[in-house]
Amino acid sequence: MSYATRYATKLAGLIAGLVLSASAFAQGAPLKELKVDYAYYSPSSLVIKRKGWLEEEFKGTDVKWVLSAGSNRALEYLNSGAIDVGSTAGLAAVLSRANGNPIKAVYIFSRPEWTALVVPKDSPIKSLKDLKGKKVAATKGTDPYLFLLRSLHTVGLKKSDIEHVNLQHADGRVALAQKNVDAWAGLDPFMAASEIEDGAKLIYRNVAFNTYGFLNASESFYSKNPNELKRVIKVYEKARAWIQQNPVEAAKILSEEAKLPLGVALLQLKERTDFSNPQPGKEHIDALRAAAPILLEEELVKPGTDLNKVIGDLVDANFAKSVIATKADPRKLP
């Protein structure tokens, strides 16, 4: 082989190596760790965790699962870096973003009716007005808490007209059953369990006051790992499609994870959870704008906060468009 041929061969190999290196750099190194939450109020997260779909999608990445007991916990974890992606109620995410938590809402995991106002089966309380002066449990910084405040406003009452008892959702159910509180702003599946197992009554329901289930990412993860975030959404889409086609199996997973009877899980999934529209859009933004004034009225954010701007900064209505299938059909999903 001539010198010129050997030189050309060596040069070609060097160029090929550089091309491969450049390609690997452009794609980015695989994530070492992906931190996500799972929550009983987010059935999709439970299905994904049980099926191992994130681990399949992110082979070579250490997937770390963290239990969120409520939106307040998920938002704390996002703010501290304990998770990269977390599931919360929409209005809770607005409140958190308004108070400085840098998060982005990129996907709708469900439209639930997951909260209502609950009283014991033999309670004399019949209406919202009867709550004046009463002890009411609710988890601060979550949809049930904000639902409670909005509900009170419909009858001219404010937070100062009740005695608010700040308890995490599961503890609120126990406090109601033991009659340590007069009422509770419940959250499924604990609310459904309270109805079925304790005979508790829902004295006020309003699906319009239940803000959507939002999948959020820390702004850092959103900015640095957009492709990986889209892959997380792809897996959520797979779960959404699977739940719609296998509601009883999904209820069994929820039942086992939350350690609650199957009937409780079926009530939550089949009667009070809508999986039909995962694409963030006008209806979700409008719902947040309609709900947001309660944050100013109850002084949960700084006076003068521009909540429309907060919502605009929070929700990325375009991020997931390329991922979300027109119809939830698992045969069309990876």
Short mmCIF file of all heavy atoms in Angstrom, two decimals, residues 136-179:
data_model
loop_
_atom_site.label_atom_id
_atom_site.label_comp_id
_atom_site.label_asym_id
_atom_site.label_seq_id
_atom_site.Cartn_x
_atom_site.Cartn_y
_atom_site.Cartn_z
N VAL A 136 -62.53 22.71 59.55
CA VAL A 136 -62.49 22.07 58.23
C VAL A 136 -61.04 21.71 57.90
O VAL A 136 -60.17 22.57 57.89
CB VAL A 136 -63.05 23.00 57.14
CG1 VAL A 136 -63.10 22.26 55.80
CG2 VAL A 136 -64.44 23.51 57.52
N ALA A 137 -60.81 20.44 57.64
CA ALA A 137 -59.47 19.97 57.28
C ALA A 137 -59.22 20.14 55.79
O ALA A 137 -60.11 19.88 54.97
CB ALA A 137 -59.30 18.51 57.68
N ALA A 138 -58.03 20.55 55.44
CA ALA A 138 -57.61 20.65 54.03
C ALA A 138 -56.10 20.81 54.00
O ALA A 138 -55.52 21.45 54.88
CB ALA A 138 -58.28 21.84 53.34
N THR A 139 -55.47 20.24 52.97
CA THR A 139 -54.03 20.31 52.83
C THR A 139 -53.65 21.60 52.13
O THR A 139 -53.93 21.78 50.94
CB THR A 139 -53.50 19.11 52.02
OG1 THR A 139 -54.04 17.91 52.56
CG2 THR A 139 -51.99 19.06 52.06
N LYS A 140 -53.01 22.49 52.85
CA LYS A 140 -52.65 23.80 52.30
C LYS A 140 -51.77 23.64 51.07
O LYS A 140 -50.89 22.79 51.02
CB LYS A 140 -51.93 24.62 53.37
CG LYS A 140 -51.84 26.11 53.04
CD LYS A 140 -51.33 26.90 54.23
CE LYS A 140 -51.32 28.39 53.93
NZ LYS A 140 -50.83 29.19 55.08
N GLY A 141 -52.05 24.47 50.06
CA GLY A 141 -51.25 24.46 48.85
C GLY A 141 -51.66 23.42 47.84
O GLY A 141 -50.94 23.16 46.88
N THR A 142 -52.85 22.82 48.04
CA THR A 142 -53.34 21.78 47.12
C THR A 142 -54.69 22.17 46.55
O THR A 142 -55.33 23.12 47.01
CB THR A 142 -53.48 20.43 47.84
OG1 THR A 142 -54.54 20.52 48.80
CG2 THR A 142 -52.19 20.03 48.55
N ASP A 143 -55.15 21.41 45.56
CA ASP A 143 -56.44 21.69 44.95
C ASP A 143 -57.59 21.63 45.95
O ASP A 143 -58.48 22.49 45.92
CB ASP A 143 -56.70 20.72 43.79
CG ASP A 143 -57.29 21.42 42.56
OD1 ASP A 143 -56.99 22.61 42.34
OD2 ASP A 143 -58.07 20.78 41.82
N PRO A 144 -57.65 20.63 46.84
CA PRO A 144 -58.74 20.62 47.82
C PRO A 144 -58.79 21.89 48.68
O PRO A 144 -59.87 22.41 48.96
CB PRO A 144 -58.45 19.37 48.66
CG PRO A 144 -57.79 18.45 47.69
CD PRO A 144 -56.91 19.35 46.87
N TYR A 145 -57.63 22.39 49.08
CA TYR A 145 -57.60 23.62 49.87
C TYR A 145 -58.13 24.80 49.08
O TYR A 145 -58.96 25.58 49.58
CB TYR A 145 -56.16 23.89 50.32
CG TYR A 145 -55.96 25.18 51.07
CD1 TYR A 145 -56.47 25.36 52.35
CD2 TYR A 145 -55.24 26.24 50.51
CE1 TYR A 145 -56.27 26.54 53.05
CE2 TYR A 145 -55.03 27.42 51.19
CZ TYR A 145 -55.55 27.56 52.47
OH TYR A 145 -55.35 28.74 53.15
N LEU A 146 -57.68 24.92 47.84
CA LEU A 146 -58.15 26.02 47.00
C LEU A 146 -59.61 25.83 46.60
O LEU A 146 -60.36 26.81 46.48
CB LEU A 146 -57.25 26.15 45.77
CG LEU A 146 -55.77 26.44 46.11
CD1 LEU A 146 -54.89 26.27 44.89
CD2 LEU A 146 -55.61 27.82 46.71
N PHE A 147 -60.04 24.59 46.43
CA PHE A 147 -61.45 24.27 46.19
C PHE A 147 -62.30 24.75 47.38
O PHE A 147 -63.37 25.34 47.19
CB PHE A 147 -61.61 22.76 46.00
CG PHE A 147 -63.03 22.31 45.79
CD1 PHE A 147 -63.55 22.17 44.51
CD2 PHE A 147 -63.84 21.98 46.87
CE1 PHE A 147 -64.86 21.74 44.32
CE2 PHE A 147 -65.14 21.55 46.69
CZ PHE A 147 -65.66 21.42 45.41
N LEU A 148 -61.81 24.48 48.58
CA LEU A 148 -62.52 24.92 49.78
C LEU A 148 -62.71 26.43 49.78
O LEU A 148 -63.82 26.94 50.01
CB LEU A 148 -61.74 24.48 51.02
CG LEU A 148 -62.15 25.10 52.36
CD1 LEU A 148 -63.57 24.70 52.74
CD2 LEU A 148 -61.16 24.70 53.47
N LEU A 149 -61.65 27.17 49.51
CA LEU A 149 -61.73 28.63 49.53
C LEU A 149 -62.69 29.16 48.46
O LEU A 149 -63.51 30.05 48.73
CB LEU A 149 -60.34 29.24 49.34
CG LEU A 149 -59.28 28.89 50.39
CD1 LEU A 149 -57.99 29.63 50.10
CD2 LEU A 149 -59.77 29.19 51.79
N ARG A 150 -62.60 28.60 47.26
CA ARG A 150 -63.50 29.03 46.17
C ARG A 150 -64.95 28.71 46.52
O ARG A 150 -65.86 29.51 46.24
CB ARG A 150 -63.11 28.37 44.86
CG ARG A 150 -61.76 28.78 44.32
CD ARG A 150 -61.44 28.06 43.03
NE ARG A 150 -62.18 28.62 41.88
CZ ARG A 150 -62.21 28.08 40.69
NH1 ARG A 150 -61.58 26.92 40.46
NH2 ARG A 150 -62.88 28.65 39.70
N SER A 151 -65.16 27.55 47.10
CA SER A 151 -66.52 27.14 47.47
C SER A 151 -67.11 28.08 48.52
O SER A 151 -68.28 28.49 48.41
CB SER A 151 -66.51 25.70 48.00
OG SER A 151 -65.99 24.81 47.04
N LEU A 152 -66.32 28.41 49.52
CA LEU A 152 -66.79 29.33 50.56
C LEU A 152 -67.19 30.68 49.96
O LEU A 152 -68.21 31.28 50.36
CB LEU A 152 -65.71 29.53 51.62
CG LEU A 152 -65.38 28.33 52.51
CD1 LEU A 152 -64.18 28.65 53.39
CD2 LEU A 152 -66.58 27.94 53.37
N HIS A 153 -66.42 31.15 49.00
CA HIS A 153 -66.70 32.45 48.39
C HIS A 153 -68.05 32.46 47.67
O HIS A 153 -68.66 33.53 47.52
CB HIS A 153 -65.59 32.83 47.42
CG HIS A 153 -64.41 33.46 48.10
ND1 HIS A 153 -63.84 34.65 47.69
CD2 HIS A 153 -63.69 33.06 49.18
CE1 HIS A 153 -62.83 34.96 48.48
NE2 HIS A 153 -62.70 33.99 49.39
N THR A 154 -68.53 31.31 47.21
CA THR A 154 -69.81 31.28 46.50
C THR A 154 -70.98 31.61 47.41
O THR A 154 -72.06 31.97 46.92
CB THR A 154 -70.06 29.90 45.85
OG1 THR A 154 -70.21 28.90 46.87
CG2 THR A 154 -68.94 29.53 44.90
N VAL A 155 -70.78 31.49 48.73
CA VAL A 155 -71.86 31.81 49.68
C VAL A 155 -71.46 32.96 50.59
O VAL A 155 -72.01 33.15 51.67
CB VAL A 155 -72.27 30.58 50.51
CG1 VAL A 155 -72.95 29.55 49.63
CG2 VAL A 155 -71.09 29.98 51.27
N GLY A 156 -70.46 33.74 50.15
CA GLY A 156 -70.07 34.93 50.90
C GLY A 156 -69.21 34.68 52.11
O GLY A 156 -69.07 35.57 52.97
N LEU A 157 -68.59 33.51 52.21
CA LEU A 157 -67.71 33.21 53.33
C LEU A 157 -66.25 33.26 52.90
O LEU A 157 -65.94 33.13 51.72
CB LEU A 157 -68.02 31.81 53.90
CG LEU A 157 -69.42 31.58 54.48
CD1 LEU A 157 -69.57 30.14 54.93
CD2 LEU A 157 -69.69 32.54 55.63
N LYS A 158 -65.35 33.46 53.86
CA LYS A 158 -63.92 33.47 53.59
C LYS A 158 -63.23 32.49 54.53
O LYS A 158 -63.85 31.90 55.42
CB LYS A 158 -63.35 34.88 53.80
CG LYS A 158 -63.95 35.94 52.89
CD LYS A 158 -63.25 37.28 53.05
CE LYS A 158 -61.85 37.26 52.49
NZ LYS A 158 -61.20 38.60 52.52
N LYS A 159 -61.92 32.35 54.32
CA LYS A 159 -61.15 31.43 55.17
C LYS A 159 -61.28 31.80 56.64
O LYS A 159 -61.32 30.91 57.51
CB LYS A 159 -59.69 31.45 54.73
CG LYS A 159 -58.79 30.49 55.51
CD LYS A 159 -57.37 30.50 54.99
CE LYS A 159 -56.70 31.84 55.18
NZ LYS A 159 -55.27 31.84 54.81
N SER A 160 -61.35 33.09 56.93
CA SER A 160 -61.44 33.54 58.31
C SER A 160 -62.78 33.18 58.96
O SER A 160 -62.91 33.26 60.19
CB SER A 160 -61.24 35.06 58.38
OG SER A 160 -62.20 35.73 57.56
N ASP A 161 -63.74 32.74 58.16
CA ASP A 161 -65.05 32.36 58.72
C ASP A 161 -65.09 30.91 59.18
O ASP A 161 -66.08 30.46 59.77
CB ASP A 161 -66.16 32.57 57.67
CG ASP A 161 -66.40 34.04 57.38
OD1 ASP A 161 -66.50 34.82 58.35
OD2 ASP A 161 -66.47 34.42 56.19
N ILE A 162 -64.02 30.15 58.90
CA ILE A 162 -63.93 28.77 59.37
C ILE A 162 -62.66 28.61 60.18
O ILE A 162 -61.80 29.51 60.21
CB ILE A 162 -63.92 27.77 58.19
CG1 ILE A 162 -62.66 27.99 57.32
CG2 ILE A 162 -65.19 27.87 57.36
CD1 ILE A 162 -62.35 26.85 56.38
N GLU A 163 -62.51 27.48 60.82
CA GLU A 163 -61.26 27.14 61.48
C GLU A 163 -60.55 26.11 60.61
O GLU A 163 -60.92 24.93 60.60
CB GLU A 163 -61.51 26.57 62.87
CG GLU A 163 -60.22 26.28 63.64
CD GLU A 163 -60.46 25.73 65.04
OE1 GLU A 163 -61.58 25.88 65.56
OE2 GLU A 163 -59.52 25.13 65.60
N HIS A 164 -59.58 26.56 59.85
CA HIS A 164 -58.87 25.65 58.94
C HIS A 164 -57.88 24.80 59.71
O HIS A 164 -57.07 25.31 60.48
CB HIS A 164 -58.14 26.45 57.85
CG HIS A 164 -57.23 25.60 57.02
ND1 HIS A 164 -55.90 25.91 56.83
CD2 HIS A 164 -57.45 24.43 56.36
CE1 HIS A 164 -55.34 24.98 56.07
NE2 HIS A 164 -56.25 24.08 55.78
N VAL A 165 -57.92 23.49 59.47
CA VAL A 165 -56.99 22.55 60.08
C VAL A 165 -56.13 21.96 58.96
O VAL A 165 -56.64 21.26 58.09
CB VAL A 165 -57.74 21.42 60.83
CG1 VAL A 165 -56.74 20.47 61.49
CG2 VAL A 165 -58.70 22.01 61.87
N ASN A 166 -54.85 22.28 58.98
CA ASN A 166 -53.95 21.87 57.89
C ASN A 166 -53.45 20.45 58.13
O ASN A 166 -52.57 20.20 58.95
CB ASN A 166 -52.77 22.84 57.80
CG ASN A 166 -51.87 22.55 56.61
OD1 ASN A 166 -52.33 22.01 55.61
ND2 ASN A 166 -50.61 22.92 56.72
N LEU A 167 -54.02 19.51 57.40
CA LEU A 167 -53.63 18.10 57.50
C LEU A 167 -53.38 17.56 56.10
O LEU A 167 -54.05 17.95 55.15
CB LEU A 167 -54.75 17.28 58.16
CG LEU A 167 -55.08 17.58 59.62
CD1 LEU A 167 -56.32 16.80 60.04
CD2 LEU A 167 -53.90 17.24 60.52
N GLN A 168 -52.41 16.64 55.98
CA GLN A 168 -52.20 15.97 54.71
C GLN A 168 -53.44 15.13 54.40
O GLN A 168 -54.20 14.76 55.29
CB GLN A 168 -50.94 15.11 54.77
CG GLN A 168 -50.30 14.81 53.42
CD GLN A 168 -49.81 16.04 52.67
OE1 GLN A 168 -49.17 16.91 53.25
NE2 GLN A 168 -50.15 16.13 51.40
N HIS A 169 -53.67 14.84 53.12
CA HIS A 169 -54.95 14.27 52.68
C HIS A 169 -55.37 13.03 53.46
O HIS A 169 -56.52 12.95 53.94
CB HIS A 169 -54.89 13.94 51.19
CG HIS A 169 -54.56 15.11 50.32
ND1 HIS A 169 -55.34 16.24 50.27
CD2 HIS A 169 -53.52 15.32 49.47
CE1 HIS A 169 -54.80 17.11 49.41
NE2 HIS A 169 -53.70 16.57 48.92
N ALA A 170 -54.49 12.08 53.60
CA ALA A 170 -54.85 10.83 54.30
C ALA A 170 -55.20 11.11 55.75
O ALA A 170 -56.12 10.49 56.31
CB ALA A 170 -53.70 9.84 54.20
N ASP A 171 -54.49 12.05 56.38
CA ASP A 171 -54.78 12.40 57.77
C ASP A 171 -56.11 13.13 57.90
O ASP A 171 -56.78 13.02 58.94
CB ASP A 171 -53.65 13.26 58.34
CG ASP A 171 -52.31 12.53 58.35
OD1 ASP A 171 -52.32 11.30 58.53
OD2 ASP A 171 -51.27 13.20 58.15
N GLY A 172 -56.48 13.88 56.87
CA GLY A 172 -57.77 14.55 56.88
C GLY A 172 -58.91 13.55 56.91
O GLY A 172 -59.91 13.75 57.62
N ARG A 173 -58.77 12.47 56.16
CA ARG A 173 -59.80 11.42 56.18
C ARG A 173 -59.94 10.83 57.59
O ARG A 173 -61.05 10.63 58.09
CB ARG A 173 -59.46 10.32 55.19
CG ARG A 173 -60.53 9.24 55.18
CD ARG A 173 -60.05 7.89 54.72
NE ARG A 173 -61.07 6.89 55.01
CZ ARG A 173 -60.94 5.61 54.75
NH1 ARG A 173 -59.84 5.15 54.18
NH2 ARG A 173 -61.90 4.76 55.06
N VAL A 174 -58.81 10.54 58.23
CA VAL A 174 -58.84 9.96 59.58
C VAL A 174 -59.48 10.93 60.57
O VAL A 174 -60.31 10.54 61.39
CB VAL A 174 -57.42 9.60 60.03
CG1 VAL A 174 -57.41 9.16 61.49
CG2 VAL A 174 -56.85 8.49 59.15
N ALA A 175 -59.10 12.20 60.46
CA ALA A 175 -59.65 13.21 61.37
C ALA A 175 -61.16 13.33 61.22
O ALA A 175 -61.89 13.50 62.21
CB ALA A 175 -58.99 14.57 61.11
N LEU A 176 -61.65 13.22 59.98
CA LEU A 176 -63.09 13.29 59.75
C LEU A 176 -63.78 12.06 60.35
O LEU A 176 -64.81 12.20 61.03
CB LEU A 176 -63.38 13.36 58.26
CG LEU A 176 -64.85 13.60 57.90
CD1 LEU A 176 -65.21 15.08 58.11
CD2 LEU A 176 -65.15 13.21 56.45
N ALA A 177 -63.22 10.89 60.12
CA ALA A 177 -63.82 9.66 60.64
C ALA A 177 -63.86 9.66 62.16
O ALA A 177 -64.82 9.14 62.77
CB ALA A 177 -63.04 8.45 60.12
N GLN A 178 -62.84 10.25 62.78
CA GLN A 178 -62.79 10.31 64.24
C GLN A 178 -63.50 11.53 64.80
O GLN A 178 -63.53 11.74 66.01
CB GLN A 178 -61.32 10.31 64.69
CG GLN A 178 -60.58 9.02 64.35
CD GLN A 178 -59.12 9.05 64.74
OE1 GLN A 178 -58.55 10.11 65.07
NE2 GLN A 178 -58.48 7.90 64.73
N LYS A 179 -64.08 12.33 63.91
CA LYS A 179 -64.83 13.54 64.27
C LYS A 179 -63.98 14.57 65.01
O LYS A 179 -64.47 15.30 65.86
CB LYS A 179 -66.08 13.19 65.06
CG LYS A 179 -67.05 12.33 64.25
CD LYS A 179 -68.35 12.08 64.99
CE LYS A 179 -69.30 11.24 64.11
NZ LYS A 179 -70.58 10.94 64.79
#
